[in-house]
């Protein structure tokens, strides 16, 4: 594939679907992989798939996938020359990056300096301001004290939002709607920033009500960079993304190109190396503001892979090992539409309570335009120790309607017994008129919570929005017929019932 030498062996410091995804890319590149696995993951696929596997004693994240000394020891034992951190766990921890380098290996990600800088939202915004990357209006640097905050509000008005400089992902934010909120919000935000992130630096921004969350995928080598268009992640619940799609229905081609350029500017400002994501909130298609830059491969990277045909993990490994890029902007074309739903072992009818346990029966969807990234198998026990995501369903078609149709088909083909999942919830969202219209923002689930809850409570997914849905389908089906998407009864369930009777 190339005359440049790639890594000789890579340790994957993660678990679950992303560990498998990375090991598959390594295998394609001819690079042996090393797994690390906890006692809770002794029967996991990532352990089996790797060329070598090293046990990290313990079950909790703290004892295993978050334990820097244990992972560095595994790195030494394995002789790997690079570490892929995946997402979550230590992927954005600059101390881990430093420790990997200290051990003589390469961290597959940006430099310690870039990670450190971008991890501090105040520093990151100061840098972006210098490069004319648009920021939320009325957002100065760190707040010195509550008087400083009062002055800022006198200028910018209400509502305002307070965030922790070391935060991200929405934890510890405080909204200020009136003067009476100021003192309490300031004190609470500062206290929570210290206890959650070990750093009490906080900053203020004008609060944008129900923005769209649009993020741009970038790839850079420190000197040059490209963007791979955007993902729209507006369907989220309590800062957890549930559905992502690419491209965004919200942007036209000109706005898309402009946002891509801004994202590349942001990456180059940080001398960024590797794959990264520049997060924006949008209050209008031509008013997108930089929020933060994530220095990892993200959960939702497959939607970008499907619309561009680029294997982001392979490119990430390529850039990390050769320090050069083999793609330029003109190599990257947007084609079609992709949607991802995150299947979590959670019960949507019980406020998304995690539902670990054994998968008694499993049938995964497949077929054209359907990609399933997962580590689960029939008989697998979903451990209670880690994140509850058990699969990602990603569908691809030439149009948004086509990708939605495929996703609804995939979700209804899915059979998973023994562990409640969020699949049914996704079916309800994917037939909601507001989702189908594409006209929604981060307030979607709050606004339509009742519709979805009613759907979960019994009335079948197919009848919930029956009349509106039928109208939509009649409008969109090319031949004017209303397709029957009602889930078919599971033949497995019928067979199981039959066998149970027979064995009695
Ligand atoms: C905001 C905002 C409104 N105005 N900042 C939440 C996660 C973090 N990355 C940024 N977040 C927000 N920042 C200003 N100035 C609204 C949110 C927000 C949000 C952002 C993206 C996706 C979902 C969200 C849900 C609620 C709030």
């Amino acid at each position: 594939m190339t005359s440049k030498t790639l890594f000789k062996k890579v340790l994957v410091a993660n678990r679950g679907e992303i560990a498998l995804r990375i090991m598959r890319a390594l295998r394609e590149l001819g690079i042996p992989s090393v797994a690390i696995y906890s006692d809770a993951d002794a029967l996991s696929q990532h352990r089996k798939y790797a060329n070598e596997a090293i046990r990290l004693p313990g079950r909790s994240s703290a004892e295993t996938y978050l334990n820097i000394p244990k992972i560095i020891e595994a790195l030494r034992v394995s002789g790997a020359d690079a570490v892929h951190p995946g997402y979550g766990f230590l992927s954005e921890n600059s101390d881990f990056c430093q420790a990997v380098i200290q051990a003589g290996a390469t961290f597959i990600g940006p430099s310690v300096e870039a990670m450190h800088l971008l991890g501090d939202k105040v520093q990151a915004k100061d840098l972006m301001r210098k490069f004319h990357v648009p920021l939320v209006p009325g957002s100065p640097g760190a707040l010195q004290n509550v008087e400083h905050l009062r002055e800022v509000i006198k200028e910018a008005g209400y509502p305002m939002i307070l965030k922790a400089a070391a935060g991200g992902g929405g934890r510890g934010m405080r909204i200020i709607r009136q003067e009476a909120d100021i003192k309490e919000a300031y004190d609470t935000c500062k206290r929570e920033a210290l206890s959650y992130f070990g750093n009490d630096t906080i900053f203020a921004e004008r609060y944008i009500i129900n923005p769209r969350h649009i993020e741009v995928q970038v790839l850079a080598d420190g000197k040059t960079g490209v963007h791979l268009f955007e993902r729209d992640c507006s369907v989220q619940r309590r800062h957890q993304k549930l559905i992502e799609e690419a491209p965004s229905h919200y942007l036209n081609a000109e706005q898309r190109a402009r946002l891509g350029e801004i994202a590349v500017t942001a990456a180059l400002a940080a001398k960024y190396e590797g794959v990264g994501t520049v997060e924006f909130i949008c209050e209008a298609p031509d008013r997108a503001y930089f929020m933060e830059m994530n220095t990892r491969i993200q959960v939702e990277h497959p939607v970008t892979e499907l619309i561009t045909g680029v294997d982001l993990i392979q490119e990430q490994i390529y850039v990390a090992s050769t320090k050069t890029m083999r793609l330029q902007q003109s190599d990257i074309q947007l084609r079609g539409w992709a949607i991802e739903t995150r299947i979590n072992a959670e019960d949507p009818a019980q406020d998304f309570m995690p539902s670990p346990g054994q998968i008694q029966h499993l049938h995964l969807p497949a077929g054209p335009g359907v990609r399933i990234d997962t580590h689960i198998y029939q008989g697998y026990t979903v451990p209670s120790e880690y994140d509850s995501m058990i699969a990602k369903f990603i569908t691809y078609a030439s149009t948004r309607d086509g990708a939605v149709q495929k996703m609804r088909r995939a979700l209804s083909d899915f059979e998973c017994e023994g562990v409640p999942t969020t699949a049914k919830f996704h079916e309800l969202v994917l037939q909601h008129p507001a989702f189908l219209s594409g006209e929604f923002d981060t307030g979607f689930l709050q606004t339509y919570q009742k519709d979805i809850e009613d759907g979960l409570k019994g009335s079948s997914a197919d009848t919930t929005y029956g009349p509106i849905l039928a109208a939509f389908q009649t409008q969109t089906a090319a031949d004017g017929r209303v397709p029957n998407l009602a889930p078919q009864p599971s033949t497995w369930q019928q067979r199981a019932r039959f066998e149970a009777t027979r064995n009695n």
Side-chain angles (χ1 to χ4, degrees):
M1 171 190 75
T2 171
S3 56
K4 301 211 163 133
T5 33
L6 299 180
F7 298 121
K8 287 188 200 57
K9 195 194 270 189
V10 174
L11 183 140
V12 179
N14 214 301
R15 63 178 301 280
E17 68 85 20
I18 195 62
L20 265 182
R21 167 76 187 86
I22 295 161
M23 289 171 189
R24 286 175 177 143
L26 289 167
R27 187 162 291 182
E28 288 156 9
L29 292 168
I31 304 170
S33 57
V34 183
I36 53 171
Y37 65 96
S38 69
D39 290 334
D41 279 335
L43 300 177
S44 66
Q45 282 213 71
H46 82 276
R47 174 193 178 182
K48 278 191 268 184
Y49 190 86
N51 296 83
E52 297 168 39
I54 297 174
R55 173 179 171 237
L56 302 188
R59 293 184 68 90
S60 68
S61 295
E63 290 171 290
T64 59
Y65 304 106
L66 285 174
N67 191 305
I68 297 177
K70 279 189 196 169
I71 297 171
I72 296 298
E73 180 54 21
L75 175 62
R76 282 187 212 284
V77 168
S78 72
D81 55 352
V83 172
H84 196 307
Y87 54 67
F89 294 121
L90 295 169
S91 60
E92 296 187 274
N93 184 316
S94 58
D95 292 340
F96 180 55
C97 175
Q98 182 73 64
V100 168
I101 294 166
Q102 205 98 56
T106 303
F107 179 85
I108 300 179
S111 66
V112 176
E113 294 72 26
M115 266 169 91
H116 195 81
L117 172 79
L118 295 168
D120 181 327
K121 308 318 174 214
V122 169
Q123 274 192 58
K125 284 177 64 179
D126 286 345
L127 178 69
M128 297 310 159
R129 195 176 287 111
K130 287 198 192 100
F131 283 78
H132 308 289
V133 171
L135 304 175
V136 182
S139 52
L143 290 170
Q144 304 309 316
N145 48 48
V146 71
E147 283 67 43
H148 184 198
L149 173 59
R150 286 184 201 282
E151 278 167 40
V152 168
I153 292 174
K154 225 170 260 167
E155 283 285 308
Y158 296 98
M160 291 290 277
I161 185 168
L162 300 183
K163 301 179 179 183
R171 280 215 308 162
M173 304 188 320
R174 271 283 170 306
I175 299 163
I176 302 177
R177 297 182 193 280
Q178 52 195 11
E179 171 153 20
D181 301 342
I182 296 177
K183 175 96 175 78
E184 153 83 14
Y186 181 87
D187 292 341
T188 311
C189 187
K190 213 162 170 68
R191 183 162 22 85
E192 289 185 354
L194 186 62
S195 79
Y196 294 162
F197 312 111
N199 175 348
D200 75 350
T201 307
I202 64 169
F203 62 100
E205 286 176 351
R206 205 186 87 212
Y207 180 61
I208 315 287
I209 296 158
N210 291 346
R212 286 210 59 142
H213 177 172
I214 296 180
E215 57 185 33
V216 179
Q217 179 70 56
V218 297
L219 170 67
D221 66 5
K223 294 170 283 300
T224 56
V226 298
H227 72 84
L228 295 99
F229 306 103
E230 77 284 1
R231 296 183 287 257
D232 193 316
C233 308
S234 297
V235 180
Q236 53 77 44
R237 181 182 172 275
R238 298 188 190 159
H239 306 300
Q240 289 282 49
K241 295 169 186 165
L242 292 165
I243 301 179
E244 301 100 347
E245 61 182 286
S248 172
H249 174 79
Y250 200 53
L251 304 179
N252 65 29
E254 192 189 322
Q255 292 155 348
R256 172 166 302 117
R258 165 126 182 83
L259 203 60
E261 280 167 27
I262 293 171
V264 171
T265 302
L268 294 182
K271 299 188 172 65
Y272 198 82
E273 295 161 66
V275 299
T277 299
V278 185
E279 256 188 43
F280 297 91
I281 53 171
C282 302
E283 63 175 342
D286 56 354
R287 266 183 284 163
Y289 308 123
F290 173 89
M291 285 279 108
E292 54 192 73
M293 181 165 180
N294 301 324
T295 60
R296 60 178 187 275
I297 188 75
Q298 296 205 184
V299 173
E300 59 272 27
H301 76 275
V303 295
T304 301
E305 296 188 318
L306 294 185
I307 60 152
T308 60
V310 172
D311 186 314
L312 287 168
I313 307 277
Q314 279 201 17
E315 294 312 313
Q316 186 184 26
I317 295 165
Y318 184 90
V319 173
S321 50
T322 67
K323 311 289 177 202
T324 60
M325 304 227 309
R326 57 180 178 182
L327 289 177
Q328 49 189 42
Q329 196 64 56
S330 58
D331 296 328
I332 301 161
Q333 302 291 326
L334 190 168
R335 204 182 138 99
W337 210 286
I339 299 184
E340 172 177 281
T341 56
R342 298 187 186 192
I343 310 296
N344 293 344
E346 292 173 357
D347 189 349
Q350 301 221 43
D351 201 30
F352 290 79
M353 202 202 302
S355 55
Q358 191 175 37
I359 296 170
Q360 309 288 349
H361 165 78
L362 180 68
H363 174 80
L364 290 171
V370 176
R371 167 174 165 180
I372 308 294
D373 281 19
T374 187
H375 58 293
I376 64 172
Y377 54 86
Q378 192 161 308
Y380 174 72
T381 298
V382 180
S384 58
E385 281 82 357
Y386 317 110
D387 188 271
S388 60
M389 195 178 73
I390 54 170
K392 303 187 303 206
F393 291 3
I394 314 102
T395 60
Y396 175 77
S398 59
T399 62
R400 185 171 190 265
D401 285 352
V404 170
Q405 191 177 50
K406 277 188 186 286
M407 184 62 80
R408 292 183 59 202
R409 190 271 289 174
L411 289 164
S412 75
D413 286 354
F414 179 49
E415 295 171 6
C416 182
E417 305 283 333
V419 170
T421 76
T422 49
K424 174 68 181 290
F425 165 87
H426 288 306
E427 285 195 67
L428 293 162
V429 173
L430 287 181
Q431 52 183 291
H432 198 283
F435 181 82
L436 295 175
S437 74
E439 304 297 318
F440 57 88
D441 53 39
T442 51
F444 173 83
L445 280 188
Q446 262 179 351
T447 310
Y448 301 108
Q449 191 171 359
K450 185 155 179 352
D451 293 354
I452 308 284
E453 275 172 7
D454 288 350
L456 290 169
K457 274 191 213 117
S459 51
S460 104
D462 211 56
T463 56
T464 310
Y465 317 117
I468 315 168
L469 179 67
F472 171 80
Q473 287 170 335
T474 310
Q475 277 163 21
T476 56
D479 60 3
R481 285 186 306 130
V482 177
N484 176 16
L485 289 172
Q488 300 304 307
S490 156
T491 51
W492 174 81
Q493 285 169 315
Q494 289 166 340
R495 206 165 47 240
R497 237 173 264 125
F498 169 73
E499 282 171 12
T501 325
R502 189 183 52 186
N503 291 342
N504 276 343

